[in-house]
Amino acid sequence: MSINSAMLAGVSGLRANSAALASISQNIANVNTVGYKRSQADFSTVVNTQSVYTGYSAGGVTSVARHNISQTGQLQSTTSSTDLGIAGQGFFVVTQKAEGLTPTDARLFTRAGSFKVDEFGYLKNTAGLYLQGWPVDDNGVITTDPSDLNRLSTINVGSVGGTAEATSRAQLNANLKSSQTISPEARDAALAVPGPNAYSPATNSMAMYDPDNGVGVKPDFEVTIPISDSKGGQRTVAISFLKSTTPNQWYAEMRAVPADSVQTGAGLTNGQIKTGLVAFTQDGRLDTAAMAALGANALFADPANAILTFGASDSTPAAGAVSWAGGLGIDDQTIAFDLTNAAGGLTQYDSASVVQAVQTNGTNFGSLTEVQIDENGFVTAIFDNGVTRQIAQVAIATFPSPDSLSQVNGNAYRVSQQSGTYNLKTAGTGGAGVLGSSQLEASTVDLSSEFTGLITTQRAYSASSKIITTADEMLAELISIKR
């Protein structure tokens, strides 16, 4: 009977508008949920098959929930460097546990990037989901894979301890006064038969100089260079210069300060590291040709390749070599000295002997102070000694049909048959979008639209109830025909 179909159509209207109310309620409740995507109820008609001459039968209405997952919200600034937002269509890959992941453990996807460092150093968002990424291997290389979730691991910043970087390069910018008065010890050394006080790197050296005891030779000029060892300890290398009687030549000694910080092989004493001559051209620059001609007598036969090598503490130095002192327990070290820099280097001009600049790399021990994530997803640890170290790269997943993902608790999603399979990408490539550090994606809920929808849904529900009331009255009239 048509009246019965009208009543059933009214019931379907009540059911459909109840679903719409539930969807609106969910949206309003999550107006401040980070990365939340609004949902809505889409209505469609239901048409019954009609038979000729039997009257019209109302089918009613049905509702289907539609999740606008691909709709992006505005990125809003925060004060936490581990808060992340995606400006694009990608999703963070997350898991429900941090360690012991197996291929059967669920991998979820979310836009909720409110990550914080938990008590074990893992990046976890407010829903308790852990951020996944490609880790840095032992060689400092990140290997990405677009299709294998098992290559990902939970990003952990707590495993990054303090760090130190040994000095491997030193640049010297200094001048030696060309008119420096030649010392008596240097004059004695130039005699055919050296005088009793003659300078000698083996028996009467600058490294032996002690004014209190009246031994050794006072340098005409000295430069000290701070260096860091393999443990971040601070060491000092001094270069002493004594002008020779040969024009444009200086005696030079490199030594450790204090002397007991190194152990030396035969031919070196009092902490000496290297000894020899330094030659200059007539226009005051280092004379590489002259030093090459000096060969083993030069401080460095090739000033452009001035390499200083320290053996490890547990090694015994050979003749003419040097190692760190055994009690220090530090690793071997090679330092390249830049003495021929075009903007300075080691020069000999007729002005005061002076150090213009000494620049070295390497740092002392530093503790982790901050974690930063750039727009390409690289997670970098920053230490208070200025050293930075990459930890991992955040993985971004994209889908052919993101609106078809299945929703799960925690404002996250799961792959469905309709969504298509995932593609793992690095941020900024293939439509994945770039990452915004210290930013969070706001909910896509618009309260004005939701409250308007609330009014229309309420009225539609009321109207559907009127259909049932009217049909009921009509049936009552029909029943009352025979009394």
Side-chain angles (χ1 to χ4, degrees):
M1 181 183 289
S2 297
I3 294 177
N4 287 336
S5 69
M7 185 176 290
L8 293 174
V11 172
S12 70
L14 293 178
R15 187 182 300 113
N17 283 286
S18 295
L21 178 64
S23 178
I24 293 171
S25 301
Q26 178 81 351
N27 292 340
I28 293 175
N30 286 278
V31 67
N32 290 320
T33 300
V34 173
Y36 175 77
K37 308 300 181 181
R38 69 178 297 271
S39 60
Q40 65 186 64
D42 288 346
F43 299 109
S44 60
T45 59
V46 177
V47 179
N48 291 331
T49 302
Q50 305 296 325
S51 299
V52 181
Y53 308 122
T54 59
Y56 181 79
S57 177
V61 65
T62 185
S63 66
V64 177
R66 178 156 63 95
H67 306 291
N68 301 296
I69 300 173
S70 60
Q71 182 181 359
T72 59
Q74 291 184 340
L75 296 183
Q76 300 177 338
S77 297
T78 68
T79 57
S80 174
S81 63
T82 55
D83 283 340
L84 298 175
I86 302 176
Q89 295 297 316
F91 294 81
F92 298 112
V93 183
V94 291
T95 56
Q96 295 171 320
K97 64 180 184 179
E99 300 172 341
L101 291 171
T102 66
T104 59
D105 289 318
R107 269 66 170 184
L108 305 178
F109 307 91
T110 186
R111 300 270 295 190
S114 52
F115 295 101
K116 297 290 186 292
V117 180
D118 72 0
E119 66 272 23
F120 300 108
Y122 294 105
L123 290 178
K124 180 174 71 173
N125 70 5
T126 51
L129 300 175
Y130 295 92
L131 182 63
Q132 301 289 294
W134 292 288
V136 175
D137 64 20
D138 295 337
N139 297 319
V141 177
I142 297 175
T143 303
T144 62
D145 191 316
S147 60
D148 190 356
L149 284 173
N150 296 317
R151 293 288 186 92
L152 302 178
S153 64
T154 308
I155 297 176
N156 188 307
V157 300
S159 61
V160 182
T163 183
E165 182 179 335
T167 299
S168 61
R169 185 177 181 84
Q171 181 175 311
L172 179 62
N173 188 348
N175 181 68
L176 303 179
K177 187 177 181 181
S178 62
S179 59
Q180 171 72 41
T181 303
I182 299 174
S183 66
E185 292 84 357
R187 293 187 182 279
D188 282 359
L191 298 175
V193 177
N197 295 319
Y199 165 75
S200 168
T203 59
N204 192 30
S205 65
M206 290 179 276
M208 297 170 58
Y209 179 63
D210 184 348
D212 296 331
N213 296 325
V215 297
V217 178
K218 180 181 180 181
D220 290 331
F221 188 64
E222 188 168 84
V223 179
T224 57
I225 302 172
I227 62 173
S228 298
D229 61 32
S230 61
K231 290 183 177 179
Q234 294 301 289
R235 310 295 166 197
T236 301
V237 171
I239 308 179
S240 302
F241 297 95
L242 185 72
K243 186 171 175 59
S244 166
T245 56
T246 302
N248 300 322
Q249 279 191 7
W250 295 67
Y251 299 108
E253 293 181 20
M254 302 182 77
R255 60 186 176 90
V257 180
D260 60 5
S261 61
V262 294
Q263 48 186 334
T264 58
L268 298 173
T269 59
N270 297 92
Q272 289 174 333
I273 302 170
K274 195 171 183 61
T275 65
L277 292 167
V278 177
F280 296 91
T281 62
Q282 295 186 35
D283 58 1
R285 309 296 298 181
L286 269 179
D287 193 337
T288 56
M291 293 182 69
L294 288 169
N297 293 323
L299 184 65
F300 294 104
D302 183 5
N305 188 32
I307 304 297
L308 203 61
T309 300
F310 295 84
S313 293
D314 58 358
S315 65
T316 301
V322 63
S323 298
W324 291 116
L328 298 177
I330 52 181
D331 202 0
D332 60 348
Q333 189 169 357
T334 299
I335 303 175
F337 281 84
D338 187 354
L339 305 175
T340 59
N341 186 275
L346 189 60
T347 60
Q348 180 196 241
Y349 296 121
D350 197 10
S351 60
S353 294
V354 65
V355 177
Q356 301 289 352
V358 174
Q359 296 178 344
T360 62
N361 65 352
T363 57
N364 56 355
F365 179 82
S367 300
L368 181 67
T369 59
E370 185 180 1
V371 175
Q372 289 186 351
I373 306 174
D374 66 15
E375 63 179 11
N376 294 316
F378 289 106
V379 183
T380 304
I382 299 177
F383 299 85
D384 57 12
N385 59 0
V387 172
T388 61
R389 181 187 297 172
Q390 284 189 349
I391 303 172
Q393 186 173 18
V394 177
I396 304 296
T398 60
F399 296 87
S401 178
D403 288 340
S404 301
L405 290 167
S406 298
Q407 288 186 314
V408 296
N409 288 337
N411 198 16
Y413 308 95
R414 192 189 303 273
V415 175
S416 70
Q417 185 175 359
Q418 292 76 26
S419 69
T421 189
Y422 56 83
N423 288 294
L424 299 179
K425 300 173 182 176
T426 57
T429 63
V434 297
L435 289 184
S437 180
S438 300
Q439 297 182 66
L440 289 175
E441 183 179 10
S443 169
T444 58
V445 174
D446 180 3
L447 279 179
S448 60
S449 298
E450 300 303 327
F451 283 132
T452 302
L454 226 98
I455 295 170
T456 58
T457 301
Q458 180 186 16
R459 293 304 180 193
Y461 188 90
S462 178
S464 295
S465 69
K466 289 297 183 183
I467 295 174
I468 298 174
T469 303
T470 303
D472 177 61
E473 291 174 352
M474 292 176 68
L475 287 173
E477 288 294 329
L478 181 62
I479 293 171
S480 67
I481 289 177
K482 182 179 182 303
R483 289 182 177 175

